Amino acid sequence: MLGRLGLRLAVAGITWTLLAPRSFVLRGSRAQTRRHTARMAEFGGGESGPRMAKDAAYAEAVQAAWQADPALKGAGPFSVEPLLYQDEAGRARLHGRVVRARSGSNGAGVVVIHTAVGPRDLYLHWRAEVLAAQGYTVLIADLLGDEPEAKPEWNSRARQPLDDRALSRKRMRASVEALAATPGVDHKRIAAMGYCFGGRTVLDLARLGSSAGIVAAVSFHGILDDGVIASEDMSSPDAPRVLICHGDADPFISAASRAACEAQLRGANARWDMLVLGGVRHGFTNPAQALNPNPSFGYCPRAAAVSWRAAEELLAEMLKP
């Protein structure tokens, strides 16, 4: 019997049921299951823990891909530590997770930004481990003030940053600063990547130019526009390099919005690349989107692999000592 928390959330055409992490069914060998259960306990908390998946089927799809990922074969173990920090205005507590290989890190850091669903999404934890296996210290950032023991009213109250671009950018900056202050992280070697809402947010951060605090920004199926907030000059060598990974069949991004984004980046003299993936829909990186009945969404293994390789290449170039 699933231990549902009884909270349902409509995000970008999906209805999410928020589950306790220990209700998920894990598949694989007993040893694999024990290791994965331990990792999820580190990520999630307890019986009434944070939001981690739409439903059991979604969780199983992500877990299966996570366990089978060749990038994690022989990797780990990983440490997962909670990081409590405040937004730049000092008005909200933000609950991040720092993930790194226990064998040590290379000094570089990556901030990973969630979709509109929030920072507890299992998918993010999988990607954080893949990055940590490459030696990066990873902060799964929290831009919503996702209190671990939040009550149902958390939903409407916490989602203000989804609409307030200035606030989400301030929280993005606070997240970068929190990772920069983490022992073992070189503050000059930090990148950021985000998905959907998170993709839009990392682009808004990159538009700060040399004061962004990062050297690279990667957007996966992010919301594209001209930034709304005025952009700084992005031509400086200290400004971040930008990579946008976009499916051209993503119905949430109109041709006009994409063109506005491109025009803004050109006008700001940014160093940027856009990887446009033909016939690919929104959410293409996440295996669980194969279960989504909404035709606007779809998992594409080819697009997920190609875009991830492009991101890895950019990180390797920009985060080297």
Side-chain angles (χ1 to χ4, degrees):
M1 192 78 179
L2 293 177
R4 298 182 185 274
L5 300 185
L7 174 60
R8 294 174 72 79
L9 164 65
V11 178
I14 315 175
T15 298
W16 286 72
T17 300
L18 307 181
L19 302 179
R22 291 181 185 172
S23 66
F24 300 151
V25 177
L26 297 175
R27 293 177 176 170
S29 71
R30 290 183 179 179
Q32 286 177 318
T33 297
R34 284 196 299 271
R35 287 194 297 271
H36 213 68
T37 300
R39 295 211 302 265
M40 287 177 59
E42 288 182 294
F43 287 134
E47 240 7 281
S48 59
R51 282 64 53 188
M52 298 184 77
K54 171 183 178 288
D55 55 30
Y58 178 104
E60 288 178 27
V62 175
Q63 289 162 359
W66 187 353
Q67 288 180 316
D69 192 337
L72 293 175
K73 186 176 182 179
F78 303 95
S79 66
V80 183
E81 302 170 356
L83 180 63
L84 181 63
Y85 58 105
Q86 289 189 312
D87 65 12
E88 285 194 336
R91 294 186 316 213
R93 299 194 311 169
L94 306 177
H95 299 264
R97 291 286 189 279
V98 175
V99 183
R100 63 177 110 199
R102 289 179 181 163
S103 59
S105 62
N106 60 22
V110 181
V111 181
V112 177
I113 307 299
H114 52 81
T115 69
V117 172
R120 310 302 174 188
D121 190 344
L122 277 178
Y123 177 79
L124 297 181
H125 301 306
W126 169 26
R127 303 326 295 164
E129 277 199 358
V130 173
L131 291 167
Q134 298 177 33
Y136 302 124
T137 298
V138 183
L139 171 61
I140 302 174
D142 170 21
L143 301 194
L144 300 182
D146 185 12
E147 295 285 350
E149 299 302 327
K151 293 186 171 71
E153 58 266 25
W154 169 89
N155 173 19
S156 58
R157 185 181 69 248
R159 309 205 101 65
Q160 181 185 359
L162 301 181
D163 299 317
D164 188 332
R165 300 285 282 270
L167 177 59
S168 63
R169 186 158 72 174
K170 286 179 180 177
R171 291 187 175 180
M172 183 73 233
R173 277 289 295 139
S175 300
V176 170
E177 291 172 2
L179 181 57
T182 299
V185 175
D186 182 348
H187 71 280
K188 294 182 179 180
R189 296 167 58 210
I190 293 178
M193 64 170 57
Y195 298 81
C196 188
F197 158 75
R200 185 191 75 183
T201 305
V202 298
L203 292 178
D204 278 348
L205 178 67
R207 290 176 175 117
L208 286 172
S210 58
S211 61
I214 57 174
V215 297
V218 182
S219 169
F220 294 101
H221 40 86
I223 305 304
L224 304 181
D225 55 26
D226 60 5
V228 180
I229 306 171
S231 177
E232 304 292 334
D233 179 19
M234 299 173 68
S235 65
S236 166
D238 295 329
R241 281 270 306 276
V242 173
L243 171 64
I244 298 170
C245 301
H246 171 65
D248 81 335
D250 187 332
F252 299 110
I253 310 301
S254 68
S257 293
R258 174 179 153 190
C261 178
E262 294 174 357
Q264 179 272 319
L265 291 168
R266 284 192 290 269
N269 300 307
R271 297 173 297 159
W272 64 284
D273 297 292
M274 183 179 291
L275 177 60
V276 180
L277 301 148
V280 174
R281 293 172 288 166
H282 193 70
F284 62 82
T285 59
N286 193 326
Q289 293 298 350
L291 306 176
N292 194 338
N294 187 330
S296 299
F297 294 78
Y299 174 52
C300 179
R302 175 189 58 81
V306 169
S307 60
W308 187 255
R309 284 198 297 272
E312 286 182 320
E313 290 175 4
L314 179 61
L315 296 183
E317 177 186 353
M318 301 305 295
L319 295 177
K320 61 188 178 185

